[in-house]
Amino acid sequence: MLIKIAKPGDLRESDVTPESVYLSRRRFMGGLAGLGLSAGAGLALSGRALAAASDYQDVPAGNPPGWLEPKLANAEWESVVPADRQLDKLTPFDDATHYNNFYEFGTGKGDPARNADALKTQPWSVVIDGEVNNGGRFDLEDLAKPSRLQERIYRLRCVEAWSMVIPWLGIPLGDVIKRAEPTSKAKYVKFETLVAPEQMPGQDSSFALIDWPYTEGLRMDEAMHPLAILGLGMYGRELPNQNGAPFRLVVPWKYGFKSIKSIVRISLVEEQPVNSWQAIAPDEYGFYANVNPEVDHPRWSQATERRLPNSLFNPNIIDTRMFNGYAEEVASLYQGMDLRKHF
Ligand code: MTE
């Protein structure tokens, strides 16, 4: 399925003059430098005329809060795309929104789409606290206001060995952390999801394994990495509730469980936090959770993954890549670490 549809005004390769090749190359290099990334990384920036949200013609219109509308219209489209666009075709919107993990709404893959309508996402405020000089409770609007939305087309690799390719719209997590003014004691960032059993039936279930709130954490340098974003939208619109509205973490080089949804609290802390899955099964799920085809889950291999959509006759199994294909950007964060021990 082709989701991006070129508009009449878009440049075609054959229209490009040497001068505009130079200019788009410069924009490409400048964009990468702006992200703190090197060219030659497994990523690319588009040099073509900016696309727009309306390119997602087969995506149902959303209903964004008033403050998000101008931000969506002014997004920087395709600011990061995977280099291998053949392999990394976008996952259809319908699959990305009907095959979900969001245990607050049930443990079945279809439960979040069925149950998440009850989640009230406006107004939404976020507490930023701990080792910061500029903490407090912030409206999401105010938190997002200073940063321009960027479209990041990332692979999402679940620890369960399925994967998708999602066009997120988000803001750098590092921007938000910097504005909170961390103190020198801030070594980790801890995230928590909303607790509201009246809206989230999975939190009311006596079979729930998770001790709510769903909690996640990153080391400070991971959180400041330019690939780590706070997602406010996908496919040119706001986030559907089942994907973690109104905002979630997206850390593309880690297993999907790190990308915590519907965040209400961000704490800068001195000690390494224990994340929800680590608390349930520490031998199976670690703190780092970097995608690594060489370190298997105790109960299954992580060498390959099932790229969705797939079927019985088209299993669509592909090799899993180190750090989910983002090794050039992030491997240096883990230099000298035993990744079997720190899984
Ligand atoms: N965040 C919360 N609050 N609760 C969850 O159950 N599941 C995680 C992650 N974030 C989860 C969560 C897991 S296991 C994955 S793979 C991704 O969300 C899935 O994101 P998606 O449903 O948008 O594809």
Side-chain angles (χ1 to χ4, degrees), residues 216-261:
E216 258 309 335
L218 293 174
R219 215 172 56 190
M220 197 63 171
D221 57 346
E222 298 178 317
M224 297 305 291
H225 192 281
L227 287 182
I229 58 167
L230 291 172
L232 291 138
M234 58 197 274
Y235 298 82
R237 46 162 286 171
E238 84 277 16
L239 283 181
N241 285 2
Q242 62 265 38
N243 294 90
F247 88 115
R248 68 177 291 170
L249 185 63
V250 183
V251 207
W253 70 94
K254 292 179 176 284
Y255 290 120
F257 69 81
K258 298 296 289 182
S259 291
I260 179 172
K261 297 176 170 181

Side-chain angles (χ1 to χ4, degrees), residues 149-318:
L149 280 187
Q150 297 176 8
E151 185 177 57
R152 305 284 188 93
I153 302 179
Y154 285 160
R155 305 172 199 110
L156 172 75
R157 169 51 159 94
C158 179
V159 75
E160 297 164 344
W162 52 263
S163 66
M164 303 195 197
V165 179
I166 312 251
W168 302 105
L169 283 158
I171 61 176
L173 171 60
D175 283 7
V176 172
I177 292 179
K178 265 187 244 154
R179 289 198 288 269
E181 297 173 18
T183 71
S184 58
K185 283 191 181 163
K187 301 280 186 283
Y188 296 89
V189 188
K190 179 178 169 190
F191 303 86
E192 288 173 20
T193 293
L194 177 73
V195 178
E198 69 291 354
Q199 298 173 52
M200 298 174 137
Q203 290 181 335
D204 226 2
S205 158
S206 42
F207 299 107
L209 294 170
I210 295 172
D211 186 13
W212 315 106
Y214 190 97
T215 301
E216 258 309 335
L218 293 174
R219 215 172 56 190
M220 197 63 171
D221 57 346
E222 298 178 317
M224 297 305 291
H225 192 281
L227 287 182
I229 58 167
L230 291 172
L232 291 138
M234 58 197 274
Y235 298 82
R237 46 162 286 171
E238 84 277 16
L239 283 181
N241 285 2
Q242 62 265 38
N243 294 90
F247 88 115
R248 68 177 291 170
L249 185 63
V250 183
V251 207
W253 70 94
K254 292 179 176 284
Y255 290 120
F257 69 81
K258 298 296 289 182
S259 291
I260 179 172
K261 297 176 170 181
S262 307
I263 297 167
V264 291
R265 186 172 178 193
I266 301 176
S267 309
L268 285 274
V269 294
E270 210 173 346
E271 303 293 326
Q272 184 173 298
V274 177
N275 52 300
S276 289
W277 283 103
Q278 195 186 9
I280 294 167
D283 297 338
E284 302 194 2
Y285 308 100
F287 173 77
Y288 283 95
N290 292 316
V291 175
N292 188 341
E294 287 159 24
V295 178
D296 287 338
H297 185 279
R299 290 182 281 130
W300 59 85
S301 163
Q302 294 291 26
T304 59
E305 65 203 53
R306 197 162 47 87
R307 176 61 58 85
L308 299 180
N310 75 327
S311 66
L312 196 58
F313 300 108
N314 176 24
N316 213 13
I317 305 291
I318 59 172

